[in-house]
Structures are given as C-alpha cells and as structure tokens.
C-alpha cells in the first residue's frame, strides 16, 4: 500500500501513492452478484511466535557506517543477518539494512523507536532523517530513531520479478473492460510465472509475519529488551503483527492508519472500494466548485467524466505532453494522489487540466517509484515485486477464477470507477503456496497500543483502524475528521499529535478513545 512517510504532505500524498496505490478508473462493467469473502478454511491464529528466541547481540557488534543513497551524515547504517526461513534458523540467511539517528538528549534517552515504510514495499532506512524534523523535541530527546527496509526491499536483499520498469505507484493492477477477463487472467498468470523464475527462492518467505520476526532480531541486535514503534499504513499492520507474535517485547507502539491484518489482502481491497468512490466524489465536488480555475467541469459529474475520459483515452494510446507519454496507469496513480489527501486536490486538478490542454503538468512526485540512488543491485521493478510478493504471501487468495469473475461483475456494477480494478484478478491467484500462516488478531497478551486515524481516510478506511484497536485489548483510538491518510505527524493536527507525543514521552494511554 503506500509508503508511510513523514515528509511535508503534498510529498506525503506522493508517498501515499507510491505503494498503496489502488485501482485505476475504468468504464462501468456489468451484472451483479457476490463473492464477498474469498477466505476459506482460515488458518489457526497463533498468539505468540513459537520459533527460537533470537540470540541477543550486543549493539556494539553492529558495524555502523554511511547509509547508501542517503544524504544525511548523522544517519548511520548497519546490516543485521536473519534467517531466510525462520523455521530453519541455521539455514540460508539474508541481510536486513537498518539505520539509526541517535536521541538528542542521551541523559533522557529511554530506548529505540523503530519505523519502516508502508506499501508493502516502501523503504524505511531513510525515514529517520525525514521523520525527525516533524517529531516533537520531547520525543526526539528520548528515542533513537531506527529505520529498516523490510526483507527484499531496496537495501535488504532486494528481489524483482524480471520486469524492466516499475508499475505506476509501485502497485500492479489491471482495470477490467468488457470481455477482458480471460486476457487479464493470462497476463496475471504470466506475471506470477516471471516472479517465480526471477525470485522463486524468496517468495515463500515474503510475509508480514516473517518481517515481524526480522524486527525481533533487530531488537536483539540493538541490545534492547523491548522496542517502541511508529508505523503507518502497511507499517501499522506490521506493528500489529509484531505485537501479536512478541507481546513481551512491546513497549510503546503507535499504529497510524493500520491495515487490518484479519482481512489482508483480498477482502481489504474489496472493502475499501466504496471509499475510493467517495474520495473521488469529494475531489470532483471540490474541483467543480473551482471550474473557473481548472476548467474540468462545473459539476462533480462533469469533473469525474473529464478525468475518467482522459484515463480511458490513455488506455487506447498514451497521451504525449511535453515529451512524456502519459499512460492510463500513470494517470490513475495521479488521480489516487488527488483522492488520498484533501490538500492535494488543487495540485492534482491542475495537473489533469494541464494534460487535457496539452500543457506540461507540475507533478512534484514520481508516478513510478524511482530506483534508489547510490544503492547498487536493486532490480528495476523492486517496489512492485515486493508489494506483490507480500500481498500474495499474506493471503489467502481465491484460486478459482470464477470467484474473481463474480466479484468483478458485482463490484463493477456497484462501483463503476474503481470496481473494475479492485475486484479484478491478480497474480496472487497463481502464486506459489506459502507455508507461513497469517497472523491474526486478537493479540490478547499485548500491552495496549495507540491507534491513530482520519475519519475520511480513503487508503485505509477508518474501520480498519477501529478493528486493530479493538483487536489489541487496552488500546486507544485517536481520530481526526479529515480526508487524509496516516496523519501523524505530518498532517499537523495539534490534538492528535499531542496525544501521540504524550504517549511516547509519558507512556500513558488516554482513558478513552479520543475524537479530536
């Protein structure tokens, strides 16, 4: 799903799309039926990891040095060795890249605050540098900020699926059109085959549960008995899974707009389709109210038709503007930027207006993930491949193609903008079987965590945050009435930020949920 990042937040909209991009706009499809929940025979739900306790490594054993591709001399990096397969800790190993930005007041330091990118597939090593200026001085004084790339992302034993370029937004999706399902299924099967050919050794081990087990080895390598954690979007889900597996290692966890692991990933994609339609309606209404500025239409329907028309036109042939050929996928990713955050409405409306008029648009973020500068050996499609590997690995996904066809018919009829993409078949239908069991909530022995969310979040609807807060007993939920994603700390809401800062510095959860 997206990067979770704490950068200024038109950039954060970019960060949001870069690995939590959903669907592309498509014309309506037909028919109405339902295949609501593809999960059959759900696995048992382990509450604590039974694998061997990682050996504690004194922090001095880590070899800290410069961080590849990061222009911040204060940020230092190291590598931690972890098992490829945690069931066989003495077998093949991989390396996980970590970074550290020390607490600003060693006398008040209380521990480490881990963070990583969303997506799955977003890098986490650079995050301490971008996050630090946004955190309160009290939080910075108390914690070393520890970033890490989850297994198979960028600096952490990266993988690819043999593709020459990243998908727009780092998220592979195909929008169905009438009669396209057989071709879509064949393309999905071929992509899965390419992934197995390129990275088959890694795919069975690309799961959120394994990323959480890697986190615990990071904890041990740092010499910490417990860790605190700040993760947004997919990284929030990773934090919830860690809490379920290692409840005794949890200190102060902040899960910002987390994906609910109980419905990852097929039900989650279907469940959030109405939110994408609602987000588009809000963007279109805002833009229509400024028709004199953008010229995309004086009603929400006219704006929606204008934007969807451009995307359909690009599906026939890319729209060439100022030397760049805009594909339908790239325009769909641009639209997602507009519906993820209310503060990006104007920027994205202006970009669509420029493209419609044949002018070069101002788009201050990459519509396709860029390769990390100064980090050798990262495959050209690393973000897309890792996103797909985790989503397929966390499963389960239907194997019967008729399930996808039924979903596609149903969701396309009810949600004509995003249903044809969100409900369409994916390579996960043909993915290798994964031995690891998904970790589900409740996490009964975990200390309460703080969950934060925006009520009009499109990327991770607030129901997901509510479910995670309810699934970890003793937790509290802090919400803001805003149209944004992963609001802490970059959205700048004083109430929400204050609640998080108090929890991280004092350690006390609010007595009840808070509606800011």
């Amino acid at each position: 799903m997206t990067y979770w990042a704490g950068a200024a937040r038109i950039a954060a909209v970019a960060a949001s799309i870069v690995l939590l991009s959903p669907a592309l706009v498509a014309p309506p499809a037909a028919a109405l039926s339902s295949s609501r929940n593809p999960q059959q025979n759900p696995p048992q739900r382990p509450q604590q990891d039974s694998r061997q306790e990682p050996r504690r490594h004194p922090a001095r054993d880590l070899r800290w040095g410069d961080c590849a591709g990061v222009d911040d001399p204060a940020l230092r990096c190291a590598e931690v060795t972890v098992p490829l397969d945690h069931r066989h800790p003495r077998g093949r190993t991989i390396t996980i890249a970590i970074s550290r930005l020390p607490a600003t007041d060693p006398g008040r330091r209380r521990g480490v605050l881990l963070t990583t990118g969303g997506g799955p597939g977003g890098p986490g090593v650079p995050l301490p540098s971008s996050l630090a200026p946004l955190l309160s001085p009290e939080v910075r004084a108390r914690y070393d900020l520890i970033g890490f790339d989850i297994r198979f992302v960028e600096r952490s034993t990266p993988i690819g699926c043999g593709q020459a370029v990243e998908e727009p937004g780092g998220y592979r999706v195909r929008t169905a059109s009438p009669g396209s399902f057989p071709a879509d299924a064949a393309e999905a099967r071929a992509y899965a085959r390419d992934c197995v050919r390129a990275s088959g050794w890694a795919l069975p081990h690309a799961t959120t549960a394994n990323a959480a087990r890697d986190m615990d080895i990071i904890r041990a390598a740092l010499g910490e008995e417990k860790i605190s954690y700040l993760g947004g979007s997919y990284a929030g889900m990773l934090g919830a899974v860690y809490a379920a597996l290692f409840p005794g290692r949890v200190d102060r966890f902040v899960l910002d707009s987390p994906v609910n692991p109980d419905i990852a990933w097929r039900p989650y994609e279907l469940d959030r389709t109405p939110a994408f339609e609602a987000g588009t309606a809000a963007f279109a209404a805002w833009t229509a109210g400024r028709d004199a500025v953008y010229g995309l239409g004086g009603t929400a329907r006219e704006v929606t038709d204008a934007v969807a028309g451009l995307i359909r036109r690009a599906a026939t042939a890319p729209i060439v503007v100022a030397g760049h050929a805009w594909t339908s996928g790239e325009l769909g990713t641009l639209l997602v930027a507009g519906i993820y955050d209310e503060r990006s409405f104007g920027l994205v409306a202006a970009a669509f207006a420029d493209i419609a008029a044949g002018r070069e648009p101002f788009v201050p973020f990459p519509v396709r993930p860029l390769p990390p500068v100064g980090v050798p050996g990262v495959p050209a499609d690393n973000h897309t491949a890792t996103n797909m590997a985790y989503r397929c690995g966390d499963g389960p996904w239907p194997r019967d193609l008729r399930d996808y066809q039924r979903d596609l018919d149903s969701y396309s009829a009810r949600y004509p903008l995003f249903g044809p993409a969100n409900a369409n078949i994916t390579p996960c239908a043909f993915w290798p079987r994964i031995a690891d069991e998904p970790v589900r909530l409740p996490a009964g022995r975990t200390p309460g965590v703080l969950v934060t969310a925006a009520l009009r979040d499109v990327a991770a609807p607030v129901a997901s945050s509510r479910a995670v807060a309810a699934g970890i007993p003793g937790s509290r939920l802090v919400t803001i009435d805003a149209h944004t994603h992963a609001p802490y700390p970059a959205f700048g809401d004083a109430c929400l930020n204050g609640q998080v800062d108090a929890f991280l510095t004092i350690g006390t959860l609010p007595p009840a949920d808070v509606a800011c």
Side-chain angles (χ1 to χ4, degrees):
M1 207 181 196
T2 76
Y3 288 126
W4 175 82
R9 193 86 165 175
I10 289 245
V13 168
S16 289
I17 68 171
V18 171
L19 287 167
L20 190 54
S21 305
L24 310 182
V25 172
L32 180 66
S33 70
S34 178
S35 177
R36 175 67 178 78
N37 187 353
Q39 183 171 329
Q40 297 178 354
N41 300 320
Q44 294 180 348
R45 301 183 174 187
Q47 293 302 298
Q48 189 166 0
D49 197 59
S50 59
R51 289 161 173 76
Q52 178 178 333
E53 176 74 11
R55 180 175 66 89
R56 289 194 70 220
H57 304 262
R60 63 179 179 270
D61 288 353
L62 294 173
R63 296 183 179 180
W64 297 97
D66 294 339
C67 296
V70 180
D71 186 19
D72 180 359
L75 189 71
R76 308 300 286 169
C77 283
E79 289 185 339
V80 176
T81 300
V82 303
L84 172 65
D85 185 344
H86 282 274
R87 297 170 302 175
H88 303 288
R90 302 186 189 281
R92 181 175 179 177
T93 61
I94 58 175
T95 57
I96 304 298
I98 67 173
S99 62
R100 180 176 65 184
L101 198 61
T104 57
D105 185 347
R108 290 192 289 166
R109 181 190 180 276
R110 69 174 314 277
V112 296
L113 182 67
L114 268 67
T115 189
T116 192
V125 163
L127 278 183
S129 295
S130 58
L131 180 63
L134 302 175
L135 295 175
S136 76
E138 293 299 311
V139 172
R140 281 294 294 118
R142 286 168 169 79
Y143 294 96
D144 295 346
L145 302 184
I146 306 293
F148 63 100
D149 292 352
I150 62 173
R151 55 173 53 204
F152 311 132
V153 171
E154 289 197 359
R155 300 160 186 83
S156 294
T157 319
I159 63 170
C161 282
Q163 309 303 302
V165 296
E166 297 278 13
E167 292 282 333
Y171 186 100
R172 187 197 178 279
V173 64
R174 296 295 182 266
T175 300
S177 58
S180 72
F181 184 78
D184 293 341
E187 185 184 353
R189 186 189 298 272
Y191 183 92
R193 188 184 310 121
D194 288 344
C195 288
V196 170
R197 184 178 299 116
S199 301
W201 63 271
L203 300 185
H205 312 292
T207 66
T208 300
N210 278 331
R213 295 175 185 117
D214 295 343
M215 278 177 60
D216 202 54
I217 294 179
I218 293 170
R219 173 201 61 76
L222 291 169
E224 301 288 337
E225 291 294 333
K226 295 185 177 184
I227 56 172
S228 295
Y229 183 78
L230 171 59
S233 197
Y234 166 76
M237 170 177 153
L238 174 58
V241 169
Y242 180 90
L245 289 176
F246 302 100
R249 301 303 188 185
V250 171
D251 191 7
R252 299 173 186 177
F253 271 43
V254 178
L255 310 182
D256 191 13
S257 308
V259 174
N260 176 11
D262 285 359
I263 59 171
W265 286 95
R266 178 67 174 177
Y268 173 77
E269 296 292 351
L270 297 178
D271 284 356
R272 68 181 183 155
T273 305
F276 280 104
E277 303 270 323
T280 304
F283 165 73
W286 185 95
T287 304
R290 294 154 181 82
D291 187 37
V293 177
Y294 303 110
L296 291 173
T299 67
R301 171 48 56 191
E302 289 173 349
V303 172
T304 301
D305 288 346
V307 171
L310 285 171
I311 296 174
R312 287 196 296 270
R313 176 181 153 196
T316 302
I319 300 172
V320 180
V321 178
H324 180 81
W326 287 87
T327 67
S328 60
E330 290 172 342
L331 292 179
T333 297
L334 183 60
L335 175 63
V336 169
I339 69 172
Y340 268 23
D341 193 300
E342 59 196 27
R343 293 165 297 168
S344 72
F345 285 178
L347 185 150
V348 173
F352 273 107
D354 287 340
I355 293 169
R359 300 185 298 264
E360 183 177 6
F362 172 67
V363 180
F365 52 82
V367 292
R368 297 177 189 262
L370 297 176
V373 177
V375 184
V378 179
D381 62 337
N382 173 245
H383 301 95
T384 306
T386 310
N387 178 273
M388 186 60 66
Y390 274 86
R391 291 171 60 240
C392 295
D394 283 339
W397 289 78
R399 298 284 174 167
D400 189 333
L401 303 195
R402 293 171 295 184
D403 290 337
Y404 293 95
Q405 184 67 71
R406 283 192 294 267
D407 284 341
L408 190 57
D409 292 343
S410 173
Y411 279 79
S412 297
R414 287 183 285 163
Y415 309 108
L417 293 178
F418 288 95
N422 281 11
N424 202 10
I425 195 166
T426 80
C428 299
F430 309 103
W431 211 251
R433 299 283 182 178
I434 305 298
D436 203 12
E437 292 183 348
V439 176
R440 307 300 192 195
L441 301 178
R445 289 174 287 176
T446 302
V449 306
L450 189 64
V451 180
T452 55
L455 294 179
R456 288 173 281 134
D457 191 340
V458 170
V462 68
S464 185
S465 295
R466 288 180 174 134
V468 171
I472 303 176
S475 299
R476 294 292 181 263
L477 175 66
V478 180
T479 56
I480 57 172
D481 186 7
H483 183 149
T484 189
H485 176 57
Y488 180 83
F491 193 79
D493 184 88
C495 169
L496 182 142
N497 285 7
Q499 292 289 340
V500 175
D501 292 348
F503 176 57
L504 289 175
T505 56
I506 301 171
T508 303
L509 288 165
D513 292 346
V514 177
C516 289

